[in-house]
């Protein structure tokens, strides 16, 4: 059975922990890099290892800043804070954070009725309407004229449209799997403070080189300040420069530039007042897409584009026009992105986490999830004490499968676009650089036989669950043209949309206004936590 909430991985990562397990001979860990990746990894490692006497030191260059973007999350960030025992009521105000029900995609499809759709995070309540959604979508792919746009089937879409928070009172016991928006710089400072409180050591220094041992592992790093710092395990969180994993260990890198064309971004803040949306909006522009992320203090905005199709200046002008800021002197930040991944995230005695391990562009805001899952999965391996080559291989296969599945989901946004206004969009639609799994998925969709089984069995399901695949294909309107639809037969037309609308309307009445909810963030709920699918 397909459910929105699948139960093979705990939401609270603490359940996977084995405090009595033997720890491999790792007594000293050095993390290079103090961006979000460095501090999240430090906290995840500290939680398991500091009390067992492992020394964790984070090195950060005073000369190289953090990337300073990355302000939207998936729901997994909630699991991260829960596992550390950090309350929303503590971290959210400190980071100007808001709740996120999902992402609206605007202007990616030109198919009538499908110009805009919402990719929701799952809710327990969706189990009441998911069956109807999938039934109608499958019927419509087969030519029946039934309603199949995702937005009317999911409560998160309803809440986002009305600027409501995905936080019901305790008396309404249905959890919604929500993400967050936050100020990246403030989140970094918050995590830094927490990590120091929990025993992580911090050292400001610029790493200039890694010194290899005879067996090819990293023995120590040298710094511009004249120190040599040794450790048993090194974690490369040095961002796109990938100092240890690539520059020192020469781990091969797989570029995704043939699948995903975007390689640059420009960012600009704007003020926020009035209602605070509980969603990210991703609007397709001429050579990429613009994000709008609401914080309590401002909107974060940016344009992710391909430098093969437009210049930096053209991108900035287009973003300014989109935001009504053509006359404004607010300064824009320009960034380059490298899209792809290393082949071995754990290579010898080095683990790469964050941008150093790879990056899939930010369309679905998955990068923090990769950080969290890479670090948490590594802890699982380390706790078992197995540092063998076979363990390395299993670990890398697992992380790579997550990367590939996620990449294919992101590719689908571009591949299914129907815009014809620029060469960029036409090239994306025509791009046949697709994985075999993705080709099979599209063929299966077109066959009208449903995609639940193939997604579940393939790597694709390692990135996104079945309902997300249905949401994207249906949301982009990948159906027969309207003129080709026929009256549904008795079996196809069993569901009444009015009943689904009523159910969602009644349920959503339990959820408060977003701005009001942010003013009264309650302590953690104590009920059963929502469990969801993961790799
Ligand atoms: C345009 C854009 C939008 C994004 N949006 C999202 C999003 O919405 N959601 C999401 O989850 N992610 C997003 N990301 C990704 C996210 O920003 C990163 O995954 C996250 O910030 C982690 O970055 P990092 O810590 O790996 O690297 P960085 O922030 O670049 O940190 C690198 C660290 O390494 C240190 N360092 C570098 N060289 C040296 C040296 N020689 N010696 C010592 N220290 C050194 C630096 O001082 C710094 O502390 C986005 C990325 C981009 C480019």
């Amino acid at each position: 059975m397909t459910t929105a909430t699948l139960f093979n991985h705990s939401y609270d990562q603490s359940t996977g922990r084995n405090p009595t397990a033997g720890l491999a001979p790792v007594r000293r860990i050095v993390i290079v890099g103090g961006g979000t990746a460095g501090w999240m990894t430090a906290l995840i490692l500290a939680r398991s290892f500091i009390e067992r006497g492992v020394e964790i030191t984070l090195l950060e260059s005073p000369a190289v800043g953090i990337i300073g973007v990355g302000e939207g999350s998936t729901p997994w960030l909630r699991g991260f804070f829960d596992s550390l025992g950090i309350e929303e009521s503590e971290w959210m105000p400190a980071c100007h954070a808001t709740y996120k029900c999902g992402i609206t995609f605007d202007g990616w499809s030109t198919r009538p009725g499908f110009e805009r759709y919402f990719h929701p995070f799952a809710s327990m309540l969706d189990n009441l309407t998911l069956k109807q959604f999938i039934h109608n979508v499958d019927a419509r792919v087969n030519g029946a004229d039934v309603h199949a746009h995702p937005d009317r089937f999911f409560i998160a879409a309803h809440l986002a449209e009305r600027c409501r928070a995905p936080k019901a009172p305790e008396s309404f016991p249905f959890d919604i799997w929500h993400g967050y928006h936050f100020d990246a710089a403030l989140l970094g400072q918050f995590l830094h403070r927490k990590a120091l409180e929990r025993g992580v050591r911090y050292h400001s220094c610029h790493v200039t080189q890694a010194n290899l041992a005879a067996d090819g592992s990293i023995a120590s790093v040298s710094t511009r300040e004249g120190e040599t710092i040794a450790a048993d395990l090194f974690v490369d969180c040095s961002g796109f420069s990938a100092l240890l994993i690539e520059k020192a260990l020469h781990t091969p890198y797989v570029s995704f530039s043939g699948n995903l064309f975007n390689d640059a971004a420009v960012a600009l803040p704007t003020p926020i007042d009035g209602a605070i949306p509980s969603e990210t909006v991703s609007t397709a522009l001429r050579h990429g897409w613009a994000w709008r992320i609401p914080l309590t203090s401002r909107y974060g905005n940016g344009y992710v584009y391909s430098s093969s199709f437009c210049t930096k200046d053209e991108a900035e002008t287009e973003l300014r026009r989109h935001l009504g800021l053509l006359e404004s002197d607010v300064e824009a930040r320009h960034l380059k992105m490298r899209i792809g991944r290393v082949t071995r995230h754990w290579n010898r005695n080095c683990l790469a986490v964050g941008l150093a391990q790879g990056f899939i562009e930010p369309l679905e805001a998955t990068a923090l999830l990769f950080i969290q899952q890479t670090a948490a999965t590594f802890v699982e391996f380390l706790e078992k004490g197995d540092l063998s080559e076979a363990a390395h291989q299993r670990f890398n296969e697992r992380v790579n499968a997550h990367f590939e599945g996620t990449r294919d989901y992101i590719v689908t946004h571009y591949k299914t676009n129907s815009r014809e206004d620029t060469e960029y969009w036409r090239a994306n639609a025509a791009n046949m650089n697709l994985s075999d799994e993705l080709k099979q998925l599209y063929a299966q969709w077109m066959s009208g036989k449903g995609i639940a089984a193939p997604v579940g069995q393939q790597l694709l399901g390692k990135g996104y669950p079945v309902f997300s695949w249905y949401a994207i294909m249906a949301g982009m309107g990948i159906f027969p043209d309207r003129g080709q639809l026929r009256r549904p037969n008795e079996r196809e037309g069993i569901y009444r949309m009015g009943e689904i609308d009523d159910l969602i309307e009644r349920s959503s009445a339990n959820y408060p206004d977003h701005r009001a909810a942010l003013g009264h963030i309650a302590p953690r709920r104590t009920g059963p936590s929502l469990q969801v699918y993961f790799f």
Side-chain angles (χ1 to χ4, degrees):
M1 192 179 95
T2 303
T3 60
T5 48
L6 301 169
F7 295 88
N8 69 351
H9 191 282
S10 169
Y11 195 66
D12 177 356
Q13 292 172 350
S14 61
T15 53
R17 193 169 167 224
N18 178 2
T20 57
L23 183 63
V26 173
R27 310 310 307 160
R28 200 158 177 225
I29 302 177
V30 161
I31 300 171
V32 177
T36 317
W39 290 115
M40 283 179 78
T41 305
L43 279 159
I44 290 169
L45 294 175
R47 179 176 152 265
S48 292
F49 300 132
I50 279 206
E51 68 190 25
R52 286 190 256 169
V54 178
E55 187 187 298
I56 302 175
T57 307
L58 186 145
L59 313 181
E60 185 184 26
S61 168
V64 185
I66 62 165
I67 192 148
V69 282
E71 305 205 314
S73 85
T74 66
W76 287 94
L77 193 64
R78 182 173 160 194
F80 169 76
F81 282 112
D82 279 358
S83 70
L84 296 172
I86 299 173
E87 297 280 350
E88 284 183 349
S89 51
E90 183 184 2
W91 80 265
M92 287 185 67
C95 302
H96 301 176
T98 65
Y99 292 113
K100 172 176 172 186
C101 296
I103 307 175
T104 283
F105 292 90
D106 193 7
W108 289 71
S109 168
T110 55
R111 299 175 185 98
F114 297 92
E115 296 87 350
R116 189 180 165 95
Y117 78 97
F118 185 77
H119 178 198
F121 294 137
S123 154
M124 285 174 172
L125 287 160
D126 293 337
N127 290 329
L128 302 174
T129 52
L130 186 71
K131 190 170 84 181
Q132 295 86 322
F133 172 58
I134 289 185
H135 174 94
N136 275 18
V137 170
D138 286 344
R140 186 149 173 154
V141 175
N142 282 294
D145 189 2
V146 292
H147 188 88
H149 191 291
D151 288 8
R152 276 170 73 185
F153 293 89
F154 296 104
I155 186 160
H158 201 80
L159 299 180
E161 203 185 330
R162 287 157 184 75
C163 294
R164 293 206 181 150
K167 298 297 275 188
E170 295 276 338
S171 55
F172 189 67
F174 294 99
D175 205 354
I176 289 190
W177 206 42
H178 60 77
Y180 304 95
H181 307 111
F182 43 81
D183 180 306
L186 294 178
L187 180 68
Q189 290 162 21
F190 180 87
L191 297 176
H192 182 151
R193 269 198 317 277
K194 281 284 157 194
L196 296 192
E197 274 169 35
R198 293 173 186 211
V200 174
R201 300 173 185 199
Y202 174 72
H203 189 50
S204 173
C205 59
H206 186 86
V207 173
T208 48
Q209 119 178 12
N211 309 305
L212 302 190
D215 66 356
S217 60
I218 300 176
S220 61
V221 291
S222 303
T223 71
R224 192 181 277 161
E225 292 74 9
E227 300 147 303
T228 300
I229 301 169
D232 305 308
L233 175 77
F234 288 86
V235 186
D236 188 349
C237 294
S238 62
F240 281 129
S241 57
L243 285 180
L244 307 182
I245 197 78
E246 285 192 70
K247 298 221 166 70
L249 294 182
H250 305 292
T251 309
Y253 181 85
V254 183
S255 170
F256 292 162
S257 61
N259 316 94
L260 294 164
F261 301 160
N262 296 340
D263 59 358
V266 49
L268 268 171
T270 51
I272 192 162
D273 49 28
I276 300 183
S278 48
E279 62 174 342
T280 300
V281 177
S282 156
T283 307
L285 299 183
R286 286 172 56 74
H287 305 106
W289 58 276
W291 76 77
R292 188 188 69 164
I293 287 184
L295 310 183
T296 54
S297 50
R298 62 167 164 83
Y299 278 111
N301 309 284
Y303 181 14
V304 177
Y305 63 94
S306 166
S307 63
S308 303
F309 291 85
C310 83
T311 66
K312 196 173 164 217
D313 290 345
E314 284 165 349
E316 182 174 334
T317 304
E318 195 184 351
L319 178 64
R320 286 187 181 277
R321 185 175 305 113
H322 172 65
L323 297 171
L325 290 182
L326 273 177
E327 305 302 324
S328 158
D329 54 7
V330 180
E331 207 172 320
R333 278 191 62 209
H334 287 268
L335 300 143
K336 288 297 287 176
M337 310 186 302
R338 197 163 72 124
I339 308 301
R341 60 161 175 82
V342 291
T343 48
R344 313 185 75 201
H345 308 261
W346 179 13
N347 189 1
R348 299 181 184 273
N349 65 337
C350 175
L351 174 73
V353 187
L355 298 175
Q357 75 183 128
F359 182 48
I360 301 175
E361 66 143 279
L363 187 56
E364 290 276 354
T366 46
L368 264 53
L369 166 59
F370 280 106
I371 294 170
Q372 189 183 336
Q373 293 299 346
T374 302
T377 305
F378 185 72
V379 166
E380 251 179 59
F381 277 69
L382 213 53
E383 285 197 326
K384 286 188 191 129
D386 181 6
L387 305 188
S388 66
E389 193 44 43
H392 278 70
Q393 198 171 331
R394 281 198 309 279
F395 175 87
N396 289 320
E397 279 169 5
R398 208 157 134 183
V399 179
N400 284 338
H402 189 208
F403 261 88
E404 312 288 284
T406 303
R407 177 203 60 198
D408 284 354
Y409 192 79
I410 307 294
V411 164
T412 300
H413 286 280
Y414 293 95
K415 180 66 188 164
T416 58
N417 98 83
S418 57
R419 293 173 68 109
E420 296 205 337
D421 53 332
T422 61
E423 185 48 33
Y424 171 86
W425 289 108
R426 289 191 293 273
N428 268 297
N431 187 13
M432 286 310 292
N433 203 337
L434 308 169
S435 69
D436 289 344
E437 284 91 355
L438 209 46
K439 286 181 192 157
Q440 279 165 25
L441 179 104
Y442 296 158
Q444 179 82 10
W445 178 272
M446 292 307 181
S447 77
K449 291 184 196 136
I451 56 169
V455 169
Q457 288 152 12
Q458 288 176 355
L459 275 184
L460 296 175
K462 307 285 181 199
Y464 277 83
V466 168
F467 92 95
S468 286
W469 283 98
Y470 267 89
I472 192 171
M473 297 295 279
M476 294 294 283
I478 312 301
F479 295 119
D481 288 343
R482 203 148 238 305
Q484 297 172 330
L485 298 179
R486 55 177 170 73
R487 270 173 72 90
N489 63 33
E490 209 176 312
R491 196 190 55 79
E492 290 165 335
I494 48 174
Y495 294 119
R496 304 211 184 299
M497 287 310 297
E499 288 172 12
I500 292 169
D501 291 342
D502 280 353
L503 176 68
I504 287 185
E505 182 72 50
R506 271 186 284 117
S507 305
S508 75
N510 293 285
Y511 292 84
D513 170 75
H514 190 202
R515 184 179 277 280
L518 291 169
H520 304 93
I521 298 175
R524 193 146 44 132
R525 298 169 73 121
T526 48
S529 61
L530 174 59
Q531 291 181 313
V532 291
Y533 149 94
F534 191 60
F535 60 39

